[in-house]
Amino acid sequence: MSKKVEWYTEFVNESYKPSKTDVVVLFYFEPAKGISRDEAIGRIASESSTGTWTTLFRMPPRMKKLMATAFEVDGNFVKVAYPLDLWEPGNAPQLLSGIAGNIFGMKALENLRLIDVTLPKEYIKHFKGPCQGIQGIRKMMKVKKRPLTGAVPKPKIGFSAKEHAEIAFETWMGGFDLTKDDENLSSTSFNNFYERVKFMTKMRDKAEKETGEQKDALINITAETKEMMKRAKVLHDNGWRYAMIDVVVAGTASVQTLRDTLGDYKMAIHAHRAMHATFDRNEKHGLSMQFLAKIMRLIGVDQIHSGTAVGKLVSPRKEVETIAETMREMKVKEEKNNLLNQDWGNIKPGFPVASGGMHPGLIPDVMEILGNECTILVSGGIHGHPKGTRAGAKASMQAIEATMNGVSLEEYAKNHLELKEALDKWGHMRPV
Ligand code: CAP
Ligand code: MG
């Protein structure tokens, strides 16, 4: 065949030096059988920028300047640089359509995983980032040093709005800062959103009055976008300071819209990540959770579920640490084949959220990984306490106190009955 049919290898240049304004993406890749390394990385850079499968009849000169370049290869890891002009300012969905789109379906790749991205300041300046951030949340909740705490009523769905609020009251009276809706609770026949807000508001005011502490809730507004805006307003009008969104199922476009709405109300966004494991669990294919966390911090969630390493859901320790670094640091240094450099400029830091199979016996393990700058959700682990929700929350608070004072749980349990009862039931078991 004389005429050139493909031009993928024109997207490979190992002597290319990315410019300061390039978006740079780190991929893990495995060529399919019979595909060379350069044919694979050329396809990644081509299909995610200006290319397609064949040479073309017409190529305006501008194209040359918009082509992505695969420029650094280290075994199965490749960095691809994208000119800034490829990306619409402030449009998160479009970024994902480019770097996290068609390339994942290419036959020429056996596996492909997007690990991290360096977003230049010229790109991030078009995004708001968290409204409150770590400092704002600590100030708003009057919690200076320890991790913030919360719980979901369990069973996760089925309570009436009134029952839900009664469990929230018990949770708050046990010392927790927050009650959280579960990811699959929105507005059902037995637990209407607006009913729930009414009862929750009453119970919150009662708990705040009786404890003198700031109490709040991560009430799930996930729904069609205009409905989410309506629910955000109702939360605001009732004095709530957070809203919860299932950000993966809702999508980046609606999270951007709600960041504007909630930001006008100075409300913090709690990002549940339900559905993330459809694309981040396979270490050889898909998107990393740290990439999802990065995009959501950029758009402006104040906290996002980050795993526990010791709980019931898959979350390797290294991944939990990487997500925490992505959410909390202002400047991230490159870590070979795991993290790229990132200067967050004015984008505020957010909290990693440890949740999933947590109980008092696991609190020291999680705090050893995340320290105090986190939110810890203990749900089944308080409602399953032998003496009920309030005792379970107390036991978890006692476990946090013990850990912050450098005392073992067993030692602290000698004069903290609720913690003793929790340890008698669960010890330090790691649920699967
Ligand atoms: C935890 C939870 C959370 C998970 C989500 C649940 O309840 O409410 O949704 O933590 O996982 O429904 O399982 P338990 P992740 O504390 O009773 O396990 O935090 O990994 O996103
Ligand atoms: Mg849940």
Side-chain angles (χ1 to χ4, degrees):
M1 186 185 344
S2 57
K3 201 144 169 17
K4 205 158 114 61
V5 173
E6 295 178 351
W7 54 307
Y8 288 120
T9 48
E10 289 180 38
F11 290 79
V12 180
N13 174 1
E14 294 192 67
S15 53
Y16 177 76
K17 294 276 169 275
S19 84
K20 278 195 337 16
T21 60
D22 279 350
V23 169
V24 177
V25 179
L26 173 66
F27 291 100
Y28 169 86
F29 73 102
E30 286 178 9
K33 204 159 166 309
I35 296 287
S36 75
R37 184 201 78 164
D38 282 11
E39 285 170 337
I41 62 177
R43 279 163 173 73
I44 295 169
S46 158
E47 193 60 47
S48 55
S49 62
T50 59
T52 190
W53 63 275
T54 178
T55 49
L56 301 166
F57 178 75
R58 186 166 167 249
M59 282 287 277
R62 178 183 324 104
M63 284 302 164
K64 204 92 187 100
K65 294 204 293 294
L66 290 171
M67 287 168 67
T69 309
F71 66 95
E72 191 178 304
V73 190
D74 171 13
N76 285 88
F77 294 89
V78 63
K79 287 181 190 173
V80 178
Y82 297 82
L84 185 64
D85 277 356
L86 270 175
W87 310 113
E88 179 188 350
N91 185 336
Q94 185 242 4
L95 178 71
L96 268 58
S97 295
I99 62 176
N102 289 0
I103 43 178
F104 286 86
M106 298 193 85
K107 287 181 187 166
L109 295 167
E110 190 58 34
N111 280 302
L112 180 68
R113 183 173 172 85
L114 194 166
I115 298 174
D116 200 11
V117 58
T118 292
L119 298 167
K121 63 177 188 307
E122 289 76 8
Y123 184 78
I124 63 172
K125 72 182 182 188
H126 299 288
F127 290 87
K128 296 185 170 176
C131 167
Q132 290 294 339
I134 290 179
Q135 297 315 326
I137 286 179
R138 286 197 173 283
K139 191 157 162 273
M140 141 185 141
M141 294 304 293
K142 299 192 175 68
V143 175
K144 283 204 174 60
K145 270 191 68 206
R146 64 170 171 75
L148 279 96
T149 52
V152 179
K154 296 283 179 178
K156 60 170 56 185
I157 191 164
F159 290 113
S160 69
K162 187 167 179 297
E163 291 161 347
H164 185 106
E166 285 160 358
I167 293 167
F169 180 74
E170 286 304 302
T171 303
W172 285 318
M173 294 309 288
F176 272 19
D177 309 298
L178 305 165
T179 305
K180 171 181 166 294
D181 285 357
D182 231 326
E183 65 283 352
N184 56 341
L185 177 61
S186 53
S187 188
T188 57
S189 56
F190 49 84
N191 192 336
N192 172 282
F193 176 87
Y194 300 98
E195 276 280 284
R196 184 158 76 249
V197 173
K198 195 179 72 187
F199 286 115
M200 286 286 280
T201 304
K202 213 161 121 244
M203 287 293 123
R204 177 202 63 203
D205 295 349
K206 187 167 182 283
E208 285 192 335
K209 196 152 157 277
E210 293 189 18
T211 61
E213 295 162 0
Q214 207 76 31
K215 300 297 180 185
D216 217 291
L218 310 175
I219 299 178
N220 193 0
I221 62 171
T222 305
E224 180 278 325
T225 304
K226 289 189 299 304
E227 178 58 27
M228 285 207 271
M229 293 166 75
K230 199 171 141 222
R231 295 182 184 183
K233 184 173 184 319
V234 166
L235 290 181
H236 171 256
D237 293 351
N238 284 278
W240 296 100
R241 287 162 289 233
Y242 289 82
M244 165 174 161
I245 303 173
D246 295 342
V247 292
V248 176
V249 297
T252 45
S254 73
V255 178
Q256 283 194 258
T257 304
L258 269 296
R259 169 63 184 82
D260 288 347
T261 309
L262 292 160
D264 291 346
Y265 301 140
K266 299 272 174 279
M267 290 173 72
I269 300 178
H270 173 86
H272 195 290
R273 59 177 180 170
M275 200 163 88
H276 72 97
T278 56
F279 54 73
D280 71 9
R281 183 170 181 175
N282 176 345
E283 299 197 345
K284 292 192 164 186
H285 188 81
L287 308 175
S288 71
M289 179 59 216
Q290 88 210 41
F291 171 72
L292 175 69
K294 177 168 272 187
I295 296 298
M296 290 302 161
R297 176 180 173 185
L298 179 73
I299 293 174
V301 308
D302 294 84
Q303 52 191 48
I304 190 165
H305 286 242
S306 317
T308 63
V310 293
K312 70 185 183 188
L313 298 150
V314 173
S315 58
R317 175 172 179 140
K318 183 67 193 150
E319 182 188 75
V320 176
E321 290 167 342
T322 301
I323 299 164
E325 190 169 353
T326 300
M327 286 303 289
R328 296 188 304 205
E329 301 308 322
M330 293 311 288
K331 283 191 186 336
V332 176
K333 283 226 155 317
E334 177 160 359
E335 201 187 292
K336 194 172 166 50
N337 301 336
N338 184 44
L339 271 170
L340 292 182
N341 289 325
Q342 182 62 53
D343 180 341
W344 282 96
N346 301 327
I347 300 275
K348 290 177 187 161
F351 277 125
V353 176
S355 173
M358 287 297 294
H359 58 82
L362 291 179
I363 283 178
D365 302 69
V366 164
M367 289 178 69
E368 194 264 322
I369 299 171
L370 293 174
N372 297 340
E373 293 292 62
C374 61
T375 294
I376 299 178
L377 301 180
V378 184
S379 304
I382 68 165
H383 306 304
H385 187 282
K387 294 282 177 51
T389 298
R390 192 180 299 208
K394 277 186 180 163
S396 303
M397 296 308 288
Q398 290 161 4
I400 289 174
E401 287 154 22
T403 307
M404 289 183 78
N405 297 324
V407 175
S408 77
L409 299 189
E410 284 66 20
E411 190 52 40
Y412 211 69
K414 284 178 186 158
N415 43 32
H416 291 88
L417 178 60
E418 294 83 1
L419 180 55
K420 181 183 175 318
E421 290 163 336
L423 291 176
D424 289 347
K425 176 166 183 178
W426 294 302
H428 297 263
M429 68 169 278
R430 296 185 172 192
V432 285

